[in-house]
Amino acid sequence: MFSRRKFLTTGALGSTAMLAGCDCADRCGGPATGTASGGGVRARELKMVTTWPKDFPGLGDAAETTAQMIEQMSGGALTVKLYAAGELVGAFDSFDAVSGGSADMYHGADYYWTGKSRAYPYFTAVPFGMTAVEQIAWFEAAGGQELWDELAAGFNIKPFAAGNTGHQMGGWFKREINTLDDLRGLKIRMPGIGGEVMRRAGAAAVTIPGGELYQSLQSGAIDATEWVGPWNDLAFGFYREAPYYYWPGFHEPGAQLSLGMNLDVWNDMTAQEKAIIRNACRAANHLSIGQFQAQNGKALDILVKEHNVQLRRMPPDILAALAAATREVLEEIAASSDIAGRIHASFAESLRQSLKWNAISDEAYMAARRELIGE
């Protein structure tokens, strides 16, 4: 069904055949079969809605890769029909479509669902929180997935990590930001906890779907926007409307993308079908992190050298104020419900353990590399 990632038909399929079981479409002459009470893979089409614009690099690629992996691993028995934002439902209607059963799965970012539960942003990004690798550690080995499952089950959804942007940029601004006063009244697109932190600092933060961002900047509806990073931001052409590009992205140190599956559909799957979905998401997560790391550096060069983008570092006093506001917001979220409190405690403990290790591993190494090699 999908053709843009033809490399998946060789390397990815070969490496995942043992996870998925018999590739019956190729080896047996037709789709694999089975029953929910038994094993095997039954022929079925799954409907995926996304929060991403059509044919969008990076974020849209992660959704497409997940769909392709499911098809590849099932030997073609499971097919996925993918709908970009607005094709079947609106970007922010994806959650309800899957929860209610009118779609089988969504691909998006779970901090869009803050209105459902204030704990949802922990499973996308927390300001001054986890990097992509630290998130994987929490989900896979420190209880994060189990808590995510518990939260999402209340909305009839089974969630998976299925892509990650890595560290994001702080955003595009029409004017320079030098003091906290420059944030007051600033109309900025920033979802999740980061948006709430910006509001505490005096900005007027809003959540707008990706497909509407450029027009909103152009019309003056917003003065600034964060989106992702150089790769995706170059594709949107934000530099034409807002020349100042700020770093670091305090709000999303590693934005986890997600696949949410209707829980009734998930519970009806065989063990092998579940293994296919689970490992297709893991493979998409892995590939996404690699893609963003490779493409962001290239795109940043183009933005600076060809489009005269002005890179600016967010002043330390502003970051300090944003960090203080973050602590305040997280304390409120933790107190908002039992599940939010347990999610916060688990997240904080896993991050604490990562910080201790990172101090003498990644951080120490990168500091030494900068000093000895440069750049």
Side-chain angles (χ1 to χ4, degrees), residues 127-128 169-173 177 179-180 182-206 224-226 246 248-251 314 318-319 321-326 328-329:
F128 301 98
M169 287 288 284
W172 297 87
F173 294 74
I177 304 298
T179 69
L180 272 172
D182 293 327
L183 291 181
R184 302 193 190 286
L186 182 82
K187 295 175 290 185
I188 182 170
R189 184 270 187 187
M190 185 175 285
I193 298 174
E196 178 59 28
V197 168
M198 274 290 192
R199 285 188 283 274
R200 301 286 175 100
V206 297
T225 185
E226 67 81 40
Y246 274 84
F250 80 95
H251 60 304
M314 193 66 73
I318 294 181
L319 287 175
L322 295 173
T326 295
E328 180 181 283
V329 172

mmCIF file of all heavy atoms in Angstrom, residues 127-128 169-173 177 179-180 182-206 224-226 246 248-251 314 318-319 321-326 328-329:
data_model
loop_
_atom_site.group_PDB
_atom_site.id
_atom_site.type_symbol
_atom_site.label_atom_id
_atom_site.label_comp_id
_atom_site.label_asym_id
_atom_site.label_seq_id
_atom_site.Cartn_x
_atom_site.Cartn_y
_atom_site.Cartn_z
ATOM 1 N N PRO A 127 8.674 20.030 30.065
ATOM 2 C CA PRO A 127 9.743 21.030 30.066
ATOM 3 C C PRO A 127 10.859 20.668 31.042
ATOM 4 O O PRO A 127 10.591 20.239 32.169
ATOM 5 C CB PRO A 127 9.018 22.311 30.494
ATOM 6 C CG PRO A 127 7.614 22.109 30.029
ATOM 7 C CD PRO A 127 7.345 20.641 30.232
ATOM 8 N N PHE A 128 12.083 20.812 30.578
ATOM 9 C CA PHE A 128 13.272 20.479 31.373
ATOM 10 C C PHE A 128 13.253 19.007 31.803
ATOM 11 O O PHE A 128 13.862 18.644 32.810
ATOM 12 C CB PHE A 128 13.383 21.396 32.594
ATOM 13 C CG PHE A 128 13.462 22.860 32.249
ATOM 14 C CD1 PHE A 128 12.332 23.663 32.300
ATOM 15 C CD2 PHE A 128 14.662 23.427 31.849
ATOM 16 C CE1 PHE A 128 12.394 25.010 31.971
ATOM 17 C CE2 PHE A 128 14.732 24.783 31.516
ATOM 18 C CZ PHE A 128 13.600 25.572 31.580
ATOM 19 N N MET A 169 13.711 22.751 18.928
ATOM 20 C CA MET A 169 14.143 24.143 19.047
ATOM 21 C C MET A 169 13.117 24.940 19.857
ATOM 22 O O MET A 169 11.969 24.533 20.026
ATOM 23 C CB MET A 169 14.313 24.760 17.670
ATOM 24 C CG MET A 169 15.534 24.256 16.920
ATOM 25 S SD MET A 169 17.089 24.877 17.606
ATOM 26 C CE MET A 169 17.101 26.564 16.992
ATOM 27 N N GLY A 170 13.551 26.097 20.339
ATOM 28 C CA GLY A 170 12.688 26.920 21.175
ATOM 29 C C GLY A 170 11.614 27.661 20.422
ATOM 30 O O GLY A 170 10.632 28.097 21.021
ATOM 31 N N GLY A 171 11.782 27.811 19.111
ATOM 32 C CA GLY A 171 10.727 28.414 18.313
ATOM 33 C C GLY A 171 11.172 29.586 17.465
ATOM 34 O O GLY A 171 12.313 30.057 17.546
ATOM 35 N N TRP A 172 10.234 30.040 16.637
ATOM 36 C CA TRP A 172 10.424 31.145 15.697
ATOM 37 C C TRP A 172 9.728 32.388 16.234
ATOM 38 O O TRP A 172 8.553 32.339 16.607
ATOM 39 C CB TRP A 172 9.841 30.779 14.337
ATOM 40 C CG TRP A 172 10.524 29.615 13.700
ATOM 41 C CD1 TRP A 172 10.234 28.289 13.879
ATOM 42 C CD2 TRP A 172 11.613 29.670 12.792
ATOM 43 N NE1 TRP A 172 11.084 27.510 13.132
ATOM 44 C CE2 TRP A 172 11.945 28.337 12.444
ATOM 45 C CE3 TRP A 172 12.348 30.712 12.218
ATOM 46 C CZ2 TRP A 172 12.975 28.017 11.574
ATOM 47 C CZ3 TRP A 172 13.386 30.402 11.348
ATOM 48 C CH2 TRP A 172 13.689 29.073 11.029
ATOM 49 N N PHE A 173 10.439 33.512 16.242
ATOM 50 C CA PHE A 173 9.918 34.742 16.818
ATOM 51 C C PHE A 173 10.076 35.884 15.815
ATOM 52 O O PHE A 173 11.100 36.005 15.148
ATOM 53 C CB PHE A 173 10.664 35.089 18.108
ATOM 54 C CG PHE A 173 10.435 34.108 19.228
ATOM 55 C CD1 PHE A 173 11.039 32.850 19.214
ATOM 56 C CD2 PHE A 173 9.616 34.432 20.296
ATOM 57 C CE1 PHE A 173 10.823 31.938 20.242
ATOM 58 C CE2 PHE A 173 9.404 33.529 21.338
ATOM 59 C CZ PHE A 173 10.001 32.280 21.313
ATOM 60 N N ILE A 177 13.891 38.271 21.784
ATOM 61 C CA ILE A 177 13.456 38.099 23.166
ATOM 62 C C ILE A 177 14.685 38.273 24.052
ATOM 63 O O ILE A 177 15.578 37.422 24.080
ATOM 64 C CB ILE A 177 12.834 36.708 23.379
ATOM 65 C CG1 ILE A 177 11.681 36.469 22.415
ATOM 66 C CG2 ILE A 177 12.387 36.543 24.829
ATOM 67 C CD1 ILE A 177 10.521 37.442 22.579
ATOM 68 N N THR A 179 14.380 39.981 27.463
ATOM 69 C CA THR A 179 13.998 40.018 28.880
ATOM 70 C C THR A 179 12.641 39.349 29.061
ATOM 71 O O THR A 179 11.902 39.124 28.093
ATOM 72 C CB THR A 179 13.914 41.461 29.400
ATOM 73 O OG1 THR A 179 12.784 42.109 28.795
ATOM 74 C CG2 THR A 179 15.183 42.244 29.061
ATOM 75 N N LEU A 180 12.299 39.078 30.297
ATOM 76 C CA LEU A 180 10.987 38.496 30.587
ATOM 77 C C LEU A 180 9.851 39.394 30.112
ATOM 78 O O LEU A 180 8.784 38.912 29.713
ATOM 79 C CB LEU A 180 10.855 38.249 32.092
ATOM 80 C CG LEU A 180 11.360 36.903 32.618
ATOM 81 C CD1 LEU A 180 11.350 36.889 34.129
ATOM 82 C CD2 LEU A 180 10.530 35.758 32.050
ATOM 83 N N ASP A 182 9.656 40.869 27.429
ATOM 84 C CA ASP A 182 9.402 40.618 26.010
ATOM 85 C C ASP A 182 8.432 39.457 25.799
ATOM 86 O O ASP A 182 7.892 39.298 24.701
ATOM 87 C CB ASP A 182 10.716 40.321 25.275
ATOM 88 C CG ASP A 182 11.635 41.529 25.224
ATOM 89 O OD1 ASP A 182 11.104 42.655 25.145
ATOM 90 O OD2 ASP A 182 12.869 41.358 25.262
ATOM 91 N N LEU A 183 8.229 38.631 26.831
ATOM 92 C CA LEU A 183 7.276 37.527 26.728
ATOM 93 C C LEU A 183 5.857 37.954 27.049
ATOM 94 O O LEU A 183 4.902 37.285 26.642
ATOM 95 C CB LEU A 183 7.671 36.387 27.678
ATOM 96 C CG LEU A 183 8.947 35.602 27.353
ATOM 97 C CD1 LEU A 183 9.150 34.509 28.398
ATOM 98 C CD2 LEU A 183 8.899 35.005 25.961
ATOM 99 N N ARG A 184 5.713 39.055 27.752
ATOM 100 C CA ARG A 184 4.393 39.452 28.228
ATOM 101 C C ARG A 184 3.489 39.835 27.046
ATOM 102 O O ARG A 184 3.808 40.733 26.256
ATOM 103 C CB ARG A 184 4.508 40.606 29.222
ATOM 104 C CG ARG A 184 5.391 40.249 30.409
ATOM 105 C CD ARG A 184 5.278 41.230 31.549
ATOM 106 N NE ARG A 184 6.322 40.978 32.551
ATOM 107 C CZ ARG A 184 6.319 39.971 33.405
ATOM 108 N NH1 ARG A 184 5.315 39.119 33.392
ATOM 109 N NH2 ARG A 184 7.301 39.818 34.280
ATOM 110 N N GLY A 185 2.375 39.112 26.939
ATOM 111 C CA GLY A 185 1.432 39.366 25.865
ATOM 112 C C GLY A 185 1.820 38.750 24.533
ATOM 113 O O GLY A 185 1.070 38.862 23.555
ATOM 114 N N LEU A 186 2.960 38.097 24.470
ATOM 115 C CA LEU A 186 3.414 37.476 23.224
ATOM 116 C C LEU A 186 2.468 36.340 22.836
ATOM 117 O O LEU A 186 2.221 35.431 23.618
ATOM 118 C CB LEU A 186 4.827 36.920 23.407
ATOM 119 C CG LEU A 186 5.458 36.284 22.159
ATOM 120 C CD1 LEU A 186 6.051 37.364 21.273
ATOM 121 C CD2 LEU A 186 6.533 35.279 22.555
ATOM 122 N N LYS A 187 1.935 36.392 21.638
ATOM 123 C CA LYS A 187 1.041 35.341 21.151
ATOM 124 C C LYS A 187 1.878 34.246 20.520
ATOM 125 O O LYS A 187 2.452 34.421 19.446
ATOM 126 C CB LYS A 187 0.058 35.922 20.138
ATOM 127 C CG LYS A 187 -0.916 36.948 20.726
ATOM 128 C CD LYS A 187 -1.780 37.577 19.657
ATOM 129 C CE LYS A 187 -0.956 38.493 18.748
ATOM 130 N NZ LYS A 187 -1.808 39.211 17.760
ATOM 131 N N ILE A 188 1.993 33.118 21.212
ATOM 132 C CA ILE A 188 2.858 32.036 20.752
ATOM 133 C C ILE A 188 2.098 30.718 20.717
ATOM 134 O O ILE A 188 1.327 30.413 21.625
ATOM 135 C CB ILE A 188 4.121 31.899 21.650
ATOM 136 C CG1 ILE A 188 5.045 30.796 21.132
ATOM 137 C CG2 ILE A 188 3.752 31.689 23.117
ATOM 138 C CD1 ILE A 188 6.408 30.758 21.808
ATOM 139 N N ARG A 189 2.353 29.958 19.682
ATOM 140 C CA ARG A 189 1.804 28.598 19.606
ATOM 141 C C ARG A 189 2.748 27.670 20.358
ATOM 142 O O ARG A 189 3.901 27.494 19.980
ATOM 143 C CB ARG A 189 1.684 28.159 18.146
ATOM 144 C CG ARG A 189 1.032 26.778 17.957
ATOM 145 C CD ARG A 189 2.013 25.647 17.950
ATOM 146 N NE ARG A 189 1.355 24.373 17.611
ATOM 147 C CZ ARG A 189 1.946 23.191 17.661
ATOM 148 N NH1 ARG A 189 3.210 23.086 18.044
ATOM 149 N NH2 ARG A 189 1.279 22.095 17.332
ATOM 150 N N MET A 190 2.252 27.096 21.437
ATOM 151 C CA MET A 190 3.032 26.127 22.203
ATOM 152 C C MET A 190 2.059 25.256 22.989
ATOM 153 O O MET A 190 1.410 25.743 23.909
ATOM 154 C CB MET A 190 4.031 26.799 23.134
ATOM 155 C CG MET A 190 4.946 25.817 23.865
ATOM 156 S SD MET A 190 6.248 26.626 24.869
ATOM 157 C CE MET A 190 7.375 27.176 23.585
ATOM 158 N N PRO A 191 1.911 23.980 22.640
ATOM 159 C CA PRO A 191 0.976 23.107 23.350
ATOM 160 C C PRO A 191 1.587 22.490 24.608
ATOM 161 O O PRO A 191 2.751 22.740 24.941
ATOM 162 C CB PRO A 191 0.666 22.030 22.307
ATOM 163 C CG PRO A 191 1.938 21.934 21.514
ATOM 164 C CD PRO A 191 2.525 23.320 21.492
ATOM 165 N N GLY A 192 0.800 21.682 25.278
ATOM 166 C CA GLY A 192 1.296 20.897 26.404
ATOM 167 C C GLY A 192 1.658 21.742 27.611
ATOM 168 O O GLY A 192 1.220 22.891 27.779
ATOM 169 N N ILE A 193 2.495 21.166 28.459
ATOM 170 C CA ILE A 193 2.917 21.856 29.678
ATOM 171 C C ILE A 193 3.736 23.095 29.334
ATOM 172 O O ILE A 193 3.674 24.112 30.029
ATOM 173 C CB ILE A 193 3.710 20.900 30.585
ATOM 174 C CG1 ILE A 193 2.831 19.725 31.021
ATOM 175 C CG2 ILE A 193 4.230 21.631 31.820
ATOM 176 C CD1 ILE A 193 3.577 18.656 31.807
ATOM 177 N N GLY A 194 4.501 23.030 28.238
ATOM 178 C CA GLY A 194 5.280 24.190 27.824
ATOM 179 C C GLY A 194 4.399 25.413 27.606
ATOM 180 O O GLY A 194 4.781 26.538 27.965
ATOM 181 N N GLY A 195 3.228 25.209 27.011
ATOM 182 C CA GLY A 195 2.313 26.315 26.805
ATOM 183 C C GLY A 195 1.828 26.905 28.113
ATOM 184 O O GLY A 195 1.736 28.131 28.270
ATOM 185 N N GLU A 196 1.511 26.042 29.087
ATOM 186 C CA GLU A 196 1.081 26.531 30.389
ATOM 187 C C GLU A 196 2.206 27.300 31.091
ATOM 188 O O GLU A 196 1.970 28.339 31.728
ATOM 189 C CB GLU A 196 0.615 25.368 31.266
ATOM 190 C CG GLU A 196 0.188 25.766 32.665
ATOM 191 C CD GLU A 196 -0.944 26.775 32.692
ATOM 192 O OE1 GLU A 196 -1.760 26.807 31.743
ATOM 193 O OE2 GLU A 196 -1.014 27.544 33.669
ATOM 194 N N VAL A 197 3.438 26.811 30.958
ATOM 195 C CA VAL A 197 4.591 27.507 31.538
ATOM 196 C C VAL A 197 4.741 28.890 30.908
ATOM 197 O O VAL A 197 4.978 29.890 31.606
ATOM 198 C CB VAL A 197 5.870 26.672 31.348
ATOM 199 C CG1 VAL A 197 7.116 27.495 31.684
ATOM 200 C CG2 VAL A 197 5.812 25.422 32.222
ATOM 201 N N MET A 198 4.587 28.964 29.593
ATOM 202 C CA MET A 198 4.663 30.261 28.912
ATOM 203 C C MET A 198 3.573 31.203 29.405
ATOM 204 O O MET A 198 3.805 32.410 29.592
ATOM 205 C CB MET A 198 4.547 30.067 27.398
ATOM 206 C CG MET A 198 5.863 29.764 26.715
ATOM 207 S SD MET A 198 6.939 31.215 26.726
ATOM 208 C CE MET A 198 8.217 30.697 25.586
ATOM 209 N N ARG A 199 2.382 30.681 29.650
ATOM 210 C CA ARG A 199 1.305 31.528 30.162
ATOM 211 C C ARG A 199 1.642 32.070 31.548
ATOM 212 O O ARG A 199 1.356 33.224 31.863
ATOM 213 C CB ARG A 199 -0.022 30.757 30.185
ATOM 214 C CG ARG A 199 -0.647 30.592 28.802
ATOM 215 C CD ARG A 199 -2.042 30.006 28.863
ATOM 216 N NE ARG A 199 -2.013 28.568 29.098
ATOM 217 C CZ ARG A 199 -1.902 27.657 28.137
ATOM 218 N NH1 ARG A 199 -1.790 28.024 26.875
ATOM 219 N NH2 ARG A 199 -1.904 26.369 28.430
ATOM 220 N N ARG A 200 2.274 31.231 32.380
ATOM 221 C CA ARG A 200 2.670 31.690 33.715
ATOM 222 C C ARG A 200 3.713 32.810 33.614
ATOM 223 O O ARG A 200 3.821 33.639 34.512
ATOM 224 C CB ARG A 200 3.256 30.532 34.529
ATOM 225 C CG ARG A 200 2.316 29.349 34.724
ATOM 226 C CD ARG A 200 1.206 29.625 35.717
ATOM 227 N NE ARG A 200 0.263 28.515 35.779
ATOM 228 C CZ ARG A 200 0.254 27.572 36.726
ATOM 229 N NH1 ARG A 200 1.153 27.610 37.707
ATOM 230 N NH2 ARG A 200 -0.638 26.607 36.695
ATOM 231 N N ALA A 201 4.483 32.798 32.513
ATOM 232 C CA ALA A 201 5.503 33.834 32.310
ATOM 233 C C ALA A 201 4.934 35.080 31.644
ATOM 234 O O ALA A 201 5.672 36.037 31.387
ATOM 235 C CB ALA A 201 6.650 33.279 31.467
ATOM 236 N N GLY A 202 3.622 35.060 31.340
ATOM 237 C CA GLY A 202 2.986 36.235 30.788
ATOM 238 C C GLY A 202 2.640 36.173 29.323
ATOM 239 O O GLY A 202 2.011 37.098 28.791
ATOM 240 N N ALA A 203 3.045 35.106 28.630
ATOM 241 C CA ALA A 203 2.743 34.977 27.207
ATOM 242 C C ALA A 203 1.309 34.489 27.018
ATOM 243 O O ALA A 203 0.700 33.921 27.922
ATOM 244 C CB ALA A 203 3.728 34.013 26.543
ATOM 245 N N ALA A 204 0.791 34.697 25.812
ATOM 246 C CA ALA A 204 -0.536 34.202 25.457
ATOM 247 C C ALA A 204 -0.350 32.975 24.575
ATOM 248 O O ALA A 204 -0.328 33.066 23.352
ATOM 249 C CB ALA A 204 -1.323 35.283 24.723
ATOM 250 N N ALA A 205 -0.165 31.815 25.223
ATOM 251 C CA ALA A 205 0.124 30.579 24.492
ATOM 252 C C ALA A 205 -1.162 29.928 24.025
ATOM 253 O O ALA A 205 -2.150 29.869 24.759
ATOM 254 C CB ALA A 205 0.907 29.615 25.376
ATOM 255 N N VAL A 206 -1.141 29.426 22.779
ATOM 256 C CA VAL A 206 -2.294 28.755 22.196
ATOM 257 C C VAL A 206 -1.838 27.458 21.545
ATOM 258 O O VAL A 206 -0.660 27.251 21.273
ATOM 259 C CB VAL A 206 -3.004 29.643 21.141
ATOM 260 C CG1 VAL A 206 -3.544 30.901 21.791
ATOM 261 C CG2 VAL A 206 -2.046 29.992 19.995
ATOM 262 N N ALA A 224 4.745 34.228 17.379
ATOM 263 C CA ALA A 224 5.830 33.253 17.461
ATOM 264 C C ALA A 224 5.234 31.861 17.460
ATOM 265 O O ALA A 224 4.057 31.680 17.795
ATOM 266 C CB ALA A 224 6.649 33.476 18.736
ATOM 267 N N THR A 225 6.037 30.893 17.086
ATOM 268 C CA THR A 225 5.576 29.513 17.143
ATOM 269 C C THR A 225 6.734 28.569 17.364
ATOM 270 O O THR A 225 7.829 28.770 16.834
ATOM 271 C CB THR A 225 4.840 29.105 15.846
ATOM 272 O OG1 THR A 225 4.314 27.778 15.999
ATOM 273 C CG2 THR A 225 5.765 29.124 14.630
ATOM 274 N N GLU A 226 6.523 27.562 18.178
ATOM 275 C CA GLU A 226 7.413 26.418 18.168
ATOM 276 C C GLU A 226 6.742 25.383 17.280
ATOM 277 O O GLU A 226 5.519 25.348 17.160
ATOM 278 C CB GLU A 226 7.664 25.884 19.580
ATOM 279 C CG GLU A 226 6.468 25.276 20.266
ATOM 280 C CD GLU A 226 6.192 23.840 19.833
ATOM 281 O OE1 GLU A 226 7.145 23.064 19.652
ATOM 282 O OE2 GLU A 226 5.007 23.509 19.665
ATOM 283 N N TYR A 246 15.113 30.516 18.142
ATOM 284 C CA TYR A 246 15.682 30.419 19.489
ATOM 285 C C TYR A 246 15.973 28.982 19.917
ATOM 286 O O TYR A 246 15.266 28.053 19.548
ATOM 287 C CB TYR A 246 14.735 31.079 20.503
ATOM 288 C CG TYR A 246 14.997 32.565 20.610
ATOM 289 C CD1 TYR A 246 14.419 33.451 19.705
ATOM 290 C CD2 TYR A 246 15.857 33.074 21.575
ATOM 291 C CE1 TYR A 246 14.668 34.816 19.780
ATOM 292 C CE2 TYR A 246 16.111 34.435 21.666
ATOM 293 C CZ TYR A 246 15.519 35.299 20.761
ATOM 294 O OH TYR A 246 15.785 36.644 20.831
ATOM 295 N N PRO A 248 17.853 26.863 23.629
ATOM 296 C CA PRO A 248 17.375 25.494 23.413
ATOM 297 C C PRO A 248 15.858 25.412 23.589
ATOM 298 O O PRO A 248 15.239 26.331 24.135
ATOM 299 C CB PRO A 248 18.071 24.713 24.539
ATOM 300 C CG PRO A 248 18.144 25.719 25.668
ATOM 301 C CD PRO A 248 18.396 27.051 24.991
ATOM 302 N N GLY A 249 15.292 24.306 23.137
ATOM 303 C CA GLY A 249 13.869 24.083 23.322
ATOM 304 C C GLY A 249 13.613 23.547 24.718
ATOM 305 O O GLY A 249 13.644 22.330 24.931
ATOM 306 N N PHE A 250 13.362 24.441 25.676
ATOM 307 C CA PHE A 250 13.159 24.016 27.065
ATOM 308 C C PHE A 250 11.935 23.117 27.200
ATOM 309 O O PHE A 250 11.858 22.263 28.080
ATOM 310 C CB PHE A 250 12.986 25.240 27.971
ATOM 311 C CG PHE A 250 11.592 25.834 27.938
ATOM 312 C CD1 PHE A 250 10.647 25.477 28.896
ATOM 313 C CD2 PHE A 250 11.209 26.710 26.935
ATOM 314 C CE1 PHE A 250 9.366 26.002 28.861
ATOM 315 C CE2 PHE A 250 9.928 27.237 26.895
ATOM 316 C CZ PHE A 250 9.002 26.881 27.855
ATOM 317 N N HIS A 251 10.956 23.315 26.320
ATOM 318 C CA HIS A 251 9.634 22.717 26.475
ATOM 319 C C HIS A 251 9.572 21.273 26.011
ATOM 320 O O HIS A 251 8.749 20.497 26.491
ATOM 321 C CB HIS A 251 8.607 23.541 25.696
ATOM 322 C CG HIS A 251 8.907 23.606 24.226
ATOM 323 N ND1 HIS A 251 10.106 24.073 23.739
ATOM 324 C CD2 HIS A 251 8.169 23.253 23.148
ATOM 325 C CE1 HIS A 251 10.098 24.012 22.415
ATOM 326 N NE2 HIS A 251 8.933 23.511 22.038
ATOM 327 N N MET A 314 18.255 31.538 24.127
ATOM 328 C CA MET A 314 17.323 32.093 25.109
ATOM 329 C C MET A 314 18.118 32.548 26.335
ATOM 330 O O MET A 314 18.918 31.780 26.888
ATOM 331 C CB MET A 314 16.288 31.049 25.521
ATOM 332 C CG MET A 314 15.109 31.617 26.295
ATOM 333 S SD MET A 314 14.053 32.743 25.344
ATOM 334 C CE MET A 314 13.196 31.604 24.260
ATOM 335 N N ILE A 318 15.686 34.177 31.596
ATOM 336 C CA ILE A 318 14.368 33.746 31.108
ATOM 337 C C ILE A 318 14.207 32.248 31.329
ATOM 338 O O ILE A 318 13.155 31.781 31.795
ATOM 339 C CB ILE A 318 14.187 34.108 29.626
ATOM 340 C CG1 ILE A 318 14.146 35.631 29.466
ATOM 341 C CG2 ILE A 318 12.910 33.469 29.070
ATOM 342 C CD1 ILE A 318 13.959 36.096 28.038
ATOM 343 N N LEU A 319 15.246 31.476 31.015
ATOM 344 C CA LEU A 319 15.186 30.030 31.242
ATOM 345 C C LEU A 319 14.976 29.717 32.711
ATOM 346 O O LEU A 319 14.228 28.798 33.062
ATOM 347 C CB LEU A 319 16.455 29.362 30.724
ATOM 348 C CG LEU A 319 16.610 29.260 29.199
ATOM 349 C CD1 LEU A 319 17.972 28.679 28.833
ATOM 350 C CD2 LEU A 319 15.495 28.409 28.601
ATOM 351 N N ALA A 321 13.414 31.546 34.912
ATOM 352 C CA ALA A 321 12.019 31.837 35.244
ATOM 353 C C ALA A 321 11.092 30.755 34.703
ATOM 354 O O ALA A 321 10.123 30.365 35.370
ATOM 355 C CB ALA A 321 11.635 33.204 34.672
ATOM 356 N N LEU A 322 11.380 30.265 33.518
ATOM 357 C CA LEU A 322 10.569 29.196 32.936
ATOM 358 C C LEU A 322 10.718 27.896 33.732
ATOM 359 O O LEU A 322 9.749 27.149 33.893
ATOM 360 C CB LEU A 322 10.955 28.981 31.473
ATOM 361 C CG LEU A 322 10.657 30.159 30.532
ATOM 362 C CD1 LEU A 322 11.230 29.892 29.145
ATOM 363 C CD2 LEU A 322 9.154 30.430 30.448
ATOM 364 N N ALA A 323 11.927 27.636 34.234
ATOM 365 C CA ALA A 323 12.144 26.445 35.056
ATOM 366 C C ALA A 323 11.347 26.529 36.359
ATOM 367 O O ALA A 323 10.754 25.536 36.813
ATOM 368 C CB ALA A 323 13.630 26.266 35.346
ATOM 369 N N ALA A 324 11.327 27.707 36.968
ATOM 370 C CA ALA A 324 10.564 27.888 38.211
ATOM 371 C C ALA A 324 9.073 27.685 37.951
ATOM 372 O O ALA A 324 8.373 27.046 38.747
ATOM 373 C CB ALA A 324 10.826 29.274 38.784
ATOM 374 N N ALA A 325 8.592 28.214 36.839
ATOM 375 C CA ALA A 325 7.176 28.033 36.497
ATOM 376 C C ALA A 325 6.874 26.569 36.209
ATOM 377 O O ALA A 325 5.788 26.076 36.538
ATOM 378 C CB ALA A 325 6.825 28.900 35.294
ATOM 379 N N THR A 326 7.837 25.863 35.611
ATOM 380 C CA THR A 326 7.651 24.437 35.327
ATOM 381 C C THR A 326 7.456 23.648 36.617
ATOM 382 O O THR A 326 6.562 22.796 36.716
ATOM 383 C CB THR A 326 8.859 23.874 34.552
ATOM 384 O OG1 THR A 326 8.927 24.506 33.270
ATOM 385 C CG2 THR A 326 8.736 22.377 34.368
ATOM 386 N N GLU A 328 6.286 24.662 39.386
ATOM 387 C CA GLU A 328 4.970 25.014 39.917
ATOM 388 C C GLU A 328 3.856 24.253 39.194
ATOM 389 O O GLU A 328 2.952 23.684 39.832
ATOM 390 C CB GLU A 328 4.770 26.524 39.756
ATOM 391 C CG GLU A 328 3.462 27.064 40.255
ATOM 392 C CD GLU A 328 3.370 28.568 40.030
ATOM 393 O OE1 GLU A 328 3.997 29.319 40.799
ATOM 394 O OE2 GLU A 328 2.682 28.973 39.068
ATOM 395 N N VAL A 329 3.936 24.206 37.875
ATOM 396 C CA VAL A 329 2.910 23.528 37.086
ATOM 397 C C VAL A 329 2.926 22.029 37.355
ATOM 398 O O VAL A 329 1.872 21.398 37.529
ATOM 399 C CB VAL A 329 3.102 23.811 35.583
ATOM 400 C CG1 VAL A 329 2.151 22.958 34.749
ATOM 401 C CG2 VAL A 329 2.880 25.291 35.285
#
